[in-house]
Amino acid sequence: MSPHLSLLAWALPVVPAVAGTALALTRPTSRRVAHGATLSAAAVTLALTIVAAATRPSTSTPFLLGTDLGLRVDGLAAVVSVTVAAVALLALTFAAGGERDVDQAPGRFGGLMLLFTAAVLITVTATTLPTLLLAWEVMGATSYALIGFSWRDPERVSSGLVAFVTTRAADLGLYVAAAAALAGGHGLALADLAHADPGPRTVVAAGVAVAGLGKAAQLPFSFWLSRAMVGPSPVSALLHSAAMVAMGGYLLLRVPDLLTATWVGPAVAWVGAVTAVVLGVVAIAQRDLKQVLAASTASQLGFVVLAAGVGGVTAGTTQLVAHAATKALLFLVAGAWLSALGTKALPALRGAGRRWPLVGVVATLGLLSLAGVAPLALWASKEAVLASAVEHGTALYAVGLLGAALSAGYAGRVLAVVLAPLESDADRTADARLDTEEEGTREVTTAMRVPMLVLGLGAAGLGVLVLPPVSSALASAVGDPRAPAPGLVELLASAALALVVLVVAWRVRLPEPAWARDWLHLEDLMQRAVVEPTDRLAGSLARFDDEVLSAAVASTARTTLRLSDLAARFDGDVIDRAVKGLAHAVRRAGSLARRPQTGQLHQYYAQSVAVLAVAAVLLVLVR
């Protein structure tokens, strides 16, 4: 690998990271300066990803435990990194068009978005678990800051915290996977995880699956996505289309051999299929446009997860890219209407698609794509996923097909509202419901329209990804050359099914199940099943710490002090006195010993005579 290509691999995340850090620290208040710097960095990042996709650079540096920090742009990473960088640039362009929340702190917003993008690019190109974990942590932290961007609103901060804590709980799976991979003895490289010993390999697969499902908002983690909708619309357009949520599915697509080598693969596939159906029903029950889009995001990512579980990397990648373009478009449309009309409630958006024709056209394209109408992007990608699923059983295929039909149901329901004619009475009723969330500007700026137009072209044209020779080239690029292709009959049948359901949803008011309106009460259930028991356990442990451990430590300290006091007294009263007494006795003995030493010779003679006399007497007595 040439040094230039190695440098390119590092440059992918470094450029947005450095620019984002600079913006976050300096926080320029000038919109022109902040947006100019942000868009310049995002544009350079997109150019770098395009060059990297063509040249496929890689690099690594020693880290720990014989594992490297490694980045590599392979076929899968090339497709996804360009998608992420492109959506990031378009979302930031939209934000520069006058998004109310963003204008409060454009420098901080641009900095956080670029830092988030850098973390996602590292995630996409990571070759080892330590690299992935570092990026995963930064991605989670910056997503929290972006969802709770308007930090003076306690509800938004609380929602950001719910999203952060929920995904962090699932992220623990990656740490379990890393520990099991070390135990498996084949290292922490993502490519080596499938070669671990059978026991640890299953634990690695389960840990990776939990982390991926949590980030992709699959059941039972889906509720955090509902809370994340309080973030600015450009944040939703990036995080919940091509980046954060998509990274959950991408992680599973990155390790197909690991998943399919264990029971985890089929389990993941069923979780994706069930999520596609259940969250499809949840989407139908919503009355807020962003909530519909959030539920549909979890549902559509269910197809990516389904594909990953059955080893359909090509189909999953196609769905990932098509969903990114479609959902980023629809989140920006929702943001444009919120900015202009002051609401995103569906009843108030009656006829919104007719107020600004260009926005209405691209919104229609996005919703038709979401419904699976031919030849738009998500029509073909979902059928590619189902073609992979049918090889693993008709039941999995049938559940997936039901999820696809529900997509047409909720998309058709929204389409019927936003394209409804504005008659006089309805017009007045709808207008009375405007400005309920913020004061609308009654305009959609050019900077907002341009990214929506580009994404609309993507939502319309990315259906080519499943058509030869593009599909063959994509399959070869992602290392899945034997990917099954959907047949013509299946493609036509799914297109017909989507049209039928769409027409029904347009003409008939679909039931809105009350049990699905509050996202299956998943947050309440999680609160009762996990949070409250954990809180009670933490309280019990805190009391044990205060009443037992702390008391024991305090008692030990008091006992030690008393013993120290006694020892000090013994030292002062006994040892010191004994030492002083001995010293006094020694001094007296020394004084006595000095008395005979007079320096007079005759006295020494007399002393010698006395000593000899005493010795003679003793000798006589002893004998």
Side-chain angles (χ1 to χ4, degrees), residues 211 249 475 499 574:
L499 275 177
V574 180

Side-chain angles (χ1 to χ4, degrees), residues 220-309:
F221 303 102
S222 309
F223 64 90
W224 72 261
L225 196 52
S226 171
R227 296 293 293 268
M229 290 301 104
V230 299
S233 294
V235 171
S236 301
L238 176 60
L239 269 65
H240 311 315
S241 65
M244 182 172 166
V245 182
M247 285 303 102
Y250 176 81
L251 174 62
L252 301 177
L253 291 173
R254 178 51 83 185
V255 290
D257 294 339
L258 173 67
L259 296 179
T260 53
T262 66
W263 55 265
V264 177
V268 164
W270 273 104
V271 170
V274 172
T275 301
V277 172
V278 175
L279 269 295
V281 177
V282 171
I284 289 175
Q286 302 306 306
R287 296 175 179 175
D288 179 282
L289 179 55
K290 285 189 73 173
Q291 289 296 320
V292 174
L293 298 179
S296 77
T297 294
S299 177
Q300 296 297 318
L301 260 293
F303 288 97
V304 178
V305 172
L306 192 166

Side-chain angles (χ1 to χ4, degrees), residues 190-600:
L190 293 178
D192 295 335
L193 296 181
H195 305 300
D197 297 335
R201 183 174 59 199
T202 302
V203 178
V204 173
V208 171
V210 170
L213 295 176
K215 199 70 85 180
Q218 300 296 286
L219 291 171
F221 303 102
S222 309
F223 64 90
W224 72 261
L225 196 52
S226 171
R227 296 293 293 268
M229 290 301 104
V230 299
S233 294
V235 171
S236 301
L238 176 60
L239 269 65
H240 311 315
S241 65
M244 182 172 166
V245 182
M247 285 303 102
Y250 176 81
L251 174 62
L252 301 177
L253 291 173
R254 178 51 83 185
V255 290
D257 294 339
L258 173 67
L259 296 179
T260 53
T262 66
W263 55 265
V264 177
V268 164
W270 273 104
V271 170
V274 172
T275 301
V277 172
V278 175
L279 269 295
V281 177
V282 171
I284 289 175
Q286 302 306 306
R287 296 175 179 175
D288 179 282
L289 179 55
K290 285 189 73 173
Q291 289 296 320
V292 174
L293 298 179
S296 77
T297 294
S299 177
Q300 296 297 318
L301 260 293
F303 288 97
V304 178
V305 172
L306 192 166
V310 298
V313 179
T314 305
T317 305
T318 305
Q319 173 74 6
L320 195 72
V321 174
H323 175 262
T326 301
K327 196 52 64 64
L329 164 64
L330 292 175
F331 273 121
L332 293 186
V333 168
W337 283 337
L338 174 62
S339 176
L341 302 175
T343 183
K344 48 188 171 52
L346 277 178
L349 293 179
R350 179 181 172 82
R354 297 173 182 268
R355 293 176 184 263
W356 295 275
L358 177 62
V359 180
V361 168
V362 294
T364 302
L365 280 174
L367 289 167
L368 291 177
S369 174
L370 191 62
V373 171
L376 305 179
L378 284 171
W379 157 67
S381 63
K382 272 184 281 198
E383 193 53 42
V385 173
L386 294 179
S388 298
V390 74
E391 295 189 343
H392 295 263
T394 53
L396 194 59
Y397 174 84
V399 174
L401 190 62
L402 177 58
L406 288 169
S407 304
Y410 56 71
R413 177 170 169 265
V414 175
L415 204 55
V417 171
V418 300
L419 292 185
L422 280 174
E423 299 173 356
S424 56
D425 292 342
D427 194 3
R428 285 194 291 272
T429 302
D431 283 348
R433 295 173 178 171
L434 302 182
D435 303 325
T436 54
E437 299 175 52
E438 61 184 50
E439 186 178 353
T441 61
R442 301 297 187 270
E443 68 169 346
V444 178
T445 64
T446 301
M448 290 180 170
R449 296 177 193 226
V450 170
M452 288 191 286
L453 181 59
V454 174
L455 288 167
L457 294 175
L462 285 175
V464 299
L465 290 175
V466 297
L467 301 178
V470 179
S471 61
S472 302
L474 179 62
S476 177
V478 301
D480 185 25
R482 291 182 294 179
L488 180 60
V489 174
E490 288 81 3
L491 284 170
L492 294 177
S494 68
L497 176 65
L499 275 177
V500 169
V501 176
L502 189 73
V503 171
V504 170
W506 182 290
R507 300 183 63 86
V508 179
R509 181 182 175 86
L510 296 178
E512 300 174 358
W515 54 268
R517 190 170 302 153
D518 197 20
W519 287 65
L520 312 174
H521 300 282
L522 284 173
E523 185 174 347
D524 292 338
L525 292 173
M526 198 63 74
Q527 183 80 16
R528 294 174 184 173
V530 178
V531 177
E532 291 179 3
T534 303
D535 191 48
R536 284 196 294 272
L537 177 62
S540 300
L541 291 174
R543 285 193 296 275
F544 178 78
D545 180 61
D546 292 339
E547 297 172 5
V548 179
L549 295 181
S550 293
V553 170
S555 176
T556 302
R558 286 193 297 270
T559 302
T560 303
L561 284 174
R562 282 198 291 271
L563 289 175
S564 300
D565 186 57
L566 291 174
R569 290 181 183 178
F570 179 78
D571 181 63
D573 297 344
V574 180
I575 302 297
D576 282 1
R577 287 186 181 180
V579 171
K580 289 177 181 176
L582 179 61
H584 181 70
V586 170
R587 282 198 302 272
R588 287 183 61 83
S591 178
L592 292 173
R594 283 198 305 271
R595 288 185 179 179
Q597 300 173 11
T598 61
Q600 301 296 321

Side-chain angles (χ1 to χ4, degrees), residues 24-327:
L25 292 178
T26 58
R27 299 185 180 184
T29 54
S30 166
R31 291 183 68 248
R32 182 185 296 273
V33 172
H35 291 310
T38 302
L39 291 176
S40 298
V44 171
T45 302
L46 175 60
L48 289 173
T49 58
I50 293 172
V51 174
T55 56
R56 307 292 175 83
S58 66
T59 188
S60 65
T61 186
F63 185 50
L64 52 81
L65 299 174
T67 302
D68 295 340
L69 286 178
L71 304 175
R72 185 177 69 243
V73 182
D74 58 10
L76 179 58
V79 174
V80 177
S81 61
V82 172
T83 302
V84 170
V87 172
L89 177 60
L90 293 171
L92 288 167
T93 303
F94 180 92
E99 228 278 345
R100 186 186 304 270
D101 291 335
V102 175
D103 284 347
Q104 296 174 3
R108 179 163 61 93
F109 178 81
L112 289 172
M113 287 284 275
L114 289 173
L115 284 172
F116 176 83
T117 303
V120 175
L121 289 175
I122 296 175
T123 300
V124 170
T125 55
T127 59
T128 64
L129 272 177
T131 313
L132 181 66
L133 279 167
L134 288 173
W136 208 257
E137 295 291 351
V138 176
M139 187 167 60
T142 49
S143 68
Y144 165 67
L146 286 168
I147 293 170
F149 184 73
S150 299
W151 55 270
R152 291 182 176 85
D153 184 344
E155 182 185 351
R156 298 193 183 198
V157 175
S158 172
S159 295
L161 190 61
V162 169
F164 177 70
V165 172
T166 305
T167 53
R168 292 293 294 126
D171 291 348
L172 293 176
L174 275 184
Y175 289 92
V176 173
L182 286 175
H186 286 268
L188 295 174
L190 293 178
D192 295 335
L193 296 181
H195 305 300
D197 297 335
R201 183 174 59 199
T202 302
V203 178
V204 173
V208 171
V210 170
L213 295 176
K215 199 70 85 180
Q218 300 296 286
L219 291 171
F221 303 102
S222 309
F223 64 90
W224 72 261
L225 196 52
S226 171
R227 296 293 293 268
M229 290 301 104
V230 299
S233 294
V235 171
S236 301
L238 176 60
L239 269 65
H240 311 315
S241 65
M244 182 172 166
V245 182
M247 285 303 102
Y250 176 81
L251 174 62
L252 301 177
L253 291 173
R254 178 51 83 185
V255 290
D257 294 339
L258 173 67
L259 296 179
T260 53
T262 66
W263 55 265
V264 177
V268 164
W270 273 104
V271 170
V274 172
T275 301
V277 172
V278 175
L279 269 295
V281 177
V282 171
I284 289 175
Q286 302 306 306
R287 296 175 179 175
D288 179 282
L289 179 55
K290 285 189 73 173
Q291 289 296 320
V292 174
L293 298 179
S296 77
T297 294
S299 177
Q300 296 297 318
L301 260 293
F303 288 97
V304 178
V305 172
L306 192 166
V310 298
V313 179
T314 305
T317 305
T318 305
Q319 173 74 6
L320 195 72
V321 174
H323 175 262
T326 301
K327 196 52 64 64

